Amino acid sequence: MALPRGLRALILAVALPVLFLSAAGNRRCYEAGECGFVEREDVDVWIALVAEAGTVGINYGRVANDLPNPAAVVQLMKQQGIAQVKLYDTEPTVLRALANTGIKVVVALPNEQLAAAASRPSYALAWVRRNVAAYYPATQIQGIAVGNEVFASAKNLTAQLVPAMTNVHAALTRLNLDKAVKVSSPIALTALAGSYPPSAGVFREDLAQAVMKPMLDFLAQTGSFLMVNAYPFFAYSANADVISLDYALFRPNAGVLDSGSGLKYFSLLDAQLDAVFTAVSKLGNYNAVRVVVSETGWPSKGDAKETGAAAANAAAYNGNLVRRVLSGNAGTPRRADADIDVYLFALFNENQKPGPTSERNYGVFYPNQQKVYDVEFVLGGNSAGSSSSKGNGGLGWQDNGGVGSGSNAPTGAGGGVKATSTGEAWCVANAMVGEERLQKALDYACGPGGADCKAIQPGAACFEPNTMVSHASYAFNDYYQRKGRTIGTCDFAGAAYVVNQAPKMGKCELPSSV
């Protein structure tokens, strides 16, 4: 992750004003009791409605003097169900530790070696022999990141980036590894000249034709992917007066309308990625080029001026993002069918990273291998051998920013353990899945699921606000409470999740028990 990030905030700040749009919901079948429910045994049937899920990996940086040895790190990854890792170099001890584990690996050719790889094909070939071929296939290297945020941190190398990528790929081809190992390069959002609204996304004039179009041509021709480093934290922290924290953390929010496209956004990361998709589309038809979020994360601690840097927010951002990706809901409003892979930044807090306090506090784990906060990398409860101090597991760890949400906090939706008896928990709708999926889940909850939905019928106490999200939240919560808050009862294939502060629904209060 290249520095300085402060510069990136100017472009990353997709400073979308939070438009609290009123949307009167249409009259729905459950209000008249005419849904025509299909009998189902279990809410798991909604899994069939979910698109093919993306994957979640982790960035393993080592700018620290207190990290466990690579063998212990690999064991930790296996325990946590982490199946993909992205490195920033080709350290032999790390690559050997990853051998025969099944963990897929992205290695990096550092910026310092970019010029040599661009100017000398023989250098690129020797590098690939020494750092890829020597370990493959025991170590399942699947990608090479040529440089990192070159446009932001090594501008003098910009013109050499695509030639270096081309030479590395030629070396892979010569060694018959080009089908298994793909070549890309992570770009920061500073590559964009404009990102607000997302429909106005465009690459910088100095990059568009000179670098980005050749790079996209290369990625398309080689069947590779575009790597994007995206950090909603910077946008929120620099513009907290106009950007909703809920919007940044994938929590329920009113949404933001892009007047240029007519698309509505419920997530700042979606807005950032769609700005990239828009910019790419202006250079040609590259729909076949997948996007990988090669870095994203949220710091658990920061300086006083770093608004939003907190463990609760980091847990909410990473937990909700992981759950969203693994449940097959990683698409954006512009590319709803995209199965985007994501690499969280980072595995550990790194005590020798320069810059503000946040730079040293992006880790999911402390160097002692204890979790900084609770987040899981697989759907369904605690990872085997979890070292979480909270022990409550579960994806979509929820916290609305309040204190006192420690060991009594309920688990996230989709596979945590039952909430503790002393904690309060509610199940609410996830607006990001769209009204169609919410409607189907709502129909199930109010029908075969056995939820009492009388209160959301016309004229009843909780009919207002008359929106799909509000009505679905009421039904999901009633179902969840009636089921005793047990595993999987606040999930609906990604259409719902748990919160531990009472949701606001006009004058209607959602009960925390039945």
Side-chain angles (χ1 to χ4, degrees):
M1 186 165 48
L3 292 173
R5 282 214 185 90
L7 174 63
R8 268 190 267 171
L10 297 175
I11 300 296
L12 290 175
V14 187
L16 308 176
V18 183
L19 307 177
F20 292 93
L21 305 176
S22 60
N26 295 325
R27 186 168 183 268
R28 301 177 183 91
C29 62
Y30 67 86
E31 295 167 359
E34 300 171 353
C35 288
F37 298 112
V38 177
E39 290 298 325
R40 298 175 175 88
E41 290 293 328
D42 196 283
V43 74
D44 289 342
V45 298
W46 299 114
I47 295 297
L49 300 174
V50 179
E52 182 181 354
T55 59
V56 176
I58 197 82
N59 282 277
Y60 174 21
R62 304 192 321 281
V63 187
N65 60 8
D66 57 355
L67 298 183
N69 64 60
V73 172
V74 170
Q75 184 61 29
L76 175 66
M77 287 192 283
K78 291 169 63 178
Q79 290 174 347
Q80 296 298 320
I82 297 172
Q84 297 196 136
V85 63
K86 178 171 160 285
L87 310 176
Y88 291 90
D89 54 21
T90 52
E91 169 58 39
T93 57
V94 174
L95 292 177
R96 284 195 292 267
L98 286 163
N100 304 310
T101 62
I103 297 174
K104 296 186 181 301
V105 184
V106 174
V107 298
L109 186 151
N111 289 345
E112 304 82 65
Q113 300 180 46
L114 197 90
S119 61
R120 294 160 48 199
S122 60
Y123 182 94
L125 178 60
W127 187 92
V128 171
R129 285 188 191 278
R130 183 173 62 253
N131 298 293
V132 178
Y135 300 97
Y136 185 88
T139 301
Q140 293 191 16
I141 299 172
Q142 64 172 348
I144 300 173
V146 175
N148 185 55
E149 297 189 353
V150 171
F151 310 148
S153 60
K155 297 179 182 179
N156 59 310
L157 298 175
T158 293
Q160 300 175 70
L161 177 57
V162 176
M165 295 170 68
T166 301
N167 285 345
V168 169
H169 178 262
L172 290 168
T173 301
R174 181 168 173 178
L175 298 171
N176 295 316
L177 292 173
D178 55 303
K179 297 295 189 295
V181 184
K182 299 303 178 182
V183 177
S184 188
S185 182
I187 65 170
L189 295 191
T190 45
L192 298 177
S195 57
Y196 170 70
S199 59
V202 62
F203 287 112
R204 284 168 19 200
E205 187 174 349
D206 62 315
L207 299 176
Q209 295 295 327
V211 185
M212 286 309 306
K213 185 169 177 55
M215 181 192 291
L216 289 163
D217 288 337
F218 169 85
L219 298 176
Q221 291 163 7
T222 61
S224 190
F225 40 82
L226 178 64
M227 302 176 83
V228 178
N229 294 351
Y231 287 88
F233 167 71
F234 299 122
Y236 170 76
S237 187
N239 301 275
D241 55 334
V242 293
I243 296 179
S244 160
L245 182 59
D246 289 336
Y247 181 63
L249 298 181
F250 305 100
R251 296 195 301 218
N253 62 90
V256 178
L257 183 68
D258 181 338
S259 59
S261 65
L263 297 173
K264 194 172 186 180
Y265 290 82
F266 295 95
S267 152
L268 181 52
L269 180 63
D270 280 351
Q272 292 179 334
L273 293 178
D274 271 2
V276 174
F277 283 132
T278 302
V280 168
S281 70
K282 291 175 180 176
L283 296 179
N285 182 2
Y286 297 103
N287 289 338
V289 176
R290 292 179 59 247
V291 165
V292 170
V293 180
S294 41
E295 283 186 22
T296 192
W298 197 284
S300 60
K301 187 185 298 184
D303 296 328
K305 64 181 180 180
E306 294 186 283
T307 305
N313 293 338
Y317 179 84
N318 285 330
N320 289 337
L321 176 58
V322 168
R323 181 174 180 277
R324 176 181 168 183
V325 171
L326 295 183
S327 62
N329 188 37
T332 66
R334 183 182 175 94
R335 296 278 292 272
D337 59 345
D339 56 340
I340 297 173
D341 295 343
V342 170
Y343 289 84
L344 298 184
F345 188 89
L347 186 57
F348 294 109
N349 284 344
E350 298 172 66
N351 66 355
Q352 293 185 319
K353 288 184 70 70
T357 298
S358 63
E359 286 293 326
R360 294 173 290 283
N361 289 278
Y362 273 87
V364 175
F365 293 90
Y366 294 110
N368 66 4
Q369 302 185 55
Q370 295 296 309
K371 284 185 176 178
V372 178
Y373 46 82
D374 198 26
V375 62
E376 304 299 331
F377 293 88
V378 293
L379 286 175
N382 291 330
S383 300
S386 172
S387 57
S388 168
S389 60
K390 290 182 180 132
N392 62 350
L395 293 163
W397 189 97
Q398 291 298 317
D399 189 284
N400 286 342
V403 295
S405 59
S407 60
N408 290 335
T411 64
V417 296
K418 182 177 178 180
T420 58
S421 59
T422 57
E424 290 188 295
W426 294 262
C427 184
V428 297
N430 177 9
M432 289 183 291
V433 303
E435 292 210 352
E436 182 179 356
R437 283 176 61 184
L438 285 179
Q439 179 70 72
K440 291 176 180 177
L442 174 57
D443 291 348
Y444 174 83
C446 293
D452 184 354
C453 297
K454 296 185 182 69
I456 52 176
Q457 294 180 11
C462 293
F463 180 71
E464 298 293 343
N466 180 19
T467 66
M468 175 66 78
V469 171
S470 294
H471 289 183
S473 293
Y474 184 92
F476 296 165
N477 185 66
D478 190 88
Y479 178 91
Y480 174 62
Q481 304 299 343
R482 288 177 185 276
K483 297 294 184 180
R485 307 182 193 173
T486 50
I487 292 174
T489 58
C490 181
D491 184 63
F492 297 91
Y497 58 88
V498 173
V499 296
N500 60 13
Q501 290 189 0
K504 296 178 181 178
M505 280 181 50
K507 296 180 180 179
C508 181
E509 293 185 3
L510 297 186
S512 59
S513 63
V514 175

